[in-house]
Amino acid sequence: MNTQTDLIEYLLRLGDSALIQGQRLCQWCGHAPALEEELALMNVGLDLVGQARNWLDYAAELLDDGRDADDLAFRRDERAYRNLLLVEQPNGDYAVTILKQFLYDAWHLPVLTGLSQSSDERIAGIAAKAVKEVTYHLRRSGEWVERLGDGTEHSHARMLAAIPEVWRFTVELTSADDSEQRLCAAGITPDAAQVAAAWQNTVSALFASATLPVPPAASYFYLNARRGLHTEHLGILLAEMQFLPRAYPDATW
């Protein structure tokens, strides 16, 4: 593959992951445990949708096939999505949602920090802006994991139950494929090994504060989002997310 093909794939991974995680968070609208939490979740979700727009805009320009960011978001089928398996998992209870968000944030921040130094000026600019938002996301989700893990007996039990629900999907956060390695060698993306080490350090430290056990590193999962092989949950989410744009393709607002 050439560098541009690798870059398009990487931009889709970033954009799709932010978009799907944002969509999951927005599903809490009207259902969050408290009004303040509902507003906070919506704000994080909107941050992620805005980041997705920036990544998908760039991907669409490189593809140069007549599609724009909206087409990429709403008119691709499941196998064309490149989002992390972690973010497409159902929200579950609030412990699952918060743990998913924390594990994603702990990976997202070092990725964006590295990308802010990218040799690609467009990527560096998008990442530098997003770092400010995701720094807050990580602080917020980490505080909630610690509060619930080291809280009451009931909240601790909920967090313990949440870990096996999502941990196996973290394998994609600590591994890189050939495409990412080529982009790293070109100075476009950060070293995946450094990102993985930063993620592991953040998770281990926070889990210790939250009195939660750190499971063994996930090493294998039979699906692979980088090749468009997703869990059954993504198709259901896309059916909901894409309904209006597909039903009324010529609609304007």
Side-chain angles (χ1 to χ4, degrees):
M1 289 188 179
N2 60 38
T3 300
Q4 180 160 309
T5 300
D6 288 335
L7 181 55
I8 291 169
E9 279 290 305
Y10 190 78
L11 291 169
L12 291 176
R13 293 175 189 180
L14 292 172
D16 290 348
S17 292
L19 178 65
I20 297 303
Q21 180 66 2
Q23 178 72 11
R24 280 297 188 204
L25 290 178
C26 289
Q27 289 178 332
W28 275 101
C29 185
H31 303 282
L35 179 59
E36 292 83 355
E37 277 309 292
E38 183 165 312
L39 293 173
L41 290 172
M42 298 308 103
N43 283 329
V44 173
L46 289 173
D47 284 345
L48 293 174
V49 171
Q51 293 170 24
R53 159 70 73 175
N54 291 331
W55 297 126
L56 295 180
D57 271 337
Y58 192 14
E61 290 178 22
L62 294 178
L63 283 166
D64 193 24
D65 60 4
R67 290 183 292 176
D68 60 15
D70 285 341
D71 293 319
L72 294 179
F74 299 116
R75 294 183 176 88
R76 281 182 295 153
D77 293 332
E78 175 185 334
R79 291 293 294 271
Y81 275 75
R82 296 293 183 263
N83 60 275
L84 295 164
L85 294 173
L86 175 68
V87 301
E88 69 193 44
Q89 302 312 304
N91 285 326
D93 64 15
Y94 205 63
V96 171
T97 289
I98 285 298
L99 182 59
K100 275 179 54 189
Q101 184 68 44
F102 168 70
L103 295 174
Y104 174 67
D105 292 339
W107 168 87
H108 202 193
L109 184 56
V111 167
L112 292 172
T113 301
L115 289 175
S116 68
Q117 305 300 317
S118 174
S119 60
D120 184 307
E121 293 184 2
R122 176 82 170 270
I123 286 178
I126 296 171
K129 179 179 182 295
V131 161
K132 299 175 184 178
E133 297 171 337
V134 176
T135 298
Y136 161 72
H137 298 175
L138 177 59
R139 183 172 68 248
R140 180 182 177 280
S141 61
E143 287 174 352
W144 264 111
V145 170
E146 185 172 8
R147 186 178 297 124
L148 294 174
D150 195 32
T152 67
E153 181 178 344
H154 180 66
S155 69
H156 181 75
R158 286 293 188 99
M159 289 304 300
L160 288 176
I163 293 173
E165 287 289 318
V166 300
W167 188 261
R168 63 188 182 278
F169 301 109
T170 62
V171 64
E172 293 178 325
L173 307 180
T174 57
S175 62
D177 60 4
D178 292 342
S179 175
E180 290 185 26
Q181 292 172 356
R182 289 191 293 267
L183 289 173
C184 178
I188 297 173
T189 62
D191 184 346
Q194 293 180 1
V195 171
W199 180 84
Q200 290 165 341
N201 290 339
T202 299
V203 171
S204 295
L206 197 283
F207 273 37
S209 296
T211 64
L212 296 171
V214 180
S219 59
Y220 169 76
F221 195 72
Y222 70 99
L223 297 175
N224 187 331
R226 294 180 176 118
R227 299 203 308 268
L229 302 176
H230 296 276
T231 64
E232 69 274 18
H233 305 296
L234 180 62
I236 298 170
L237 183 146
L238 291 179
E240 175 184 302
M241 188 179 84
Q242 296 180 341
F243 172 75
L244 282 176
R246 288 179 179 261
Y248 305 100
D250 301 320
T252 56
W253 301 94

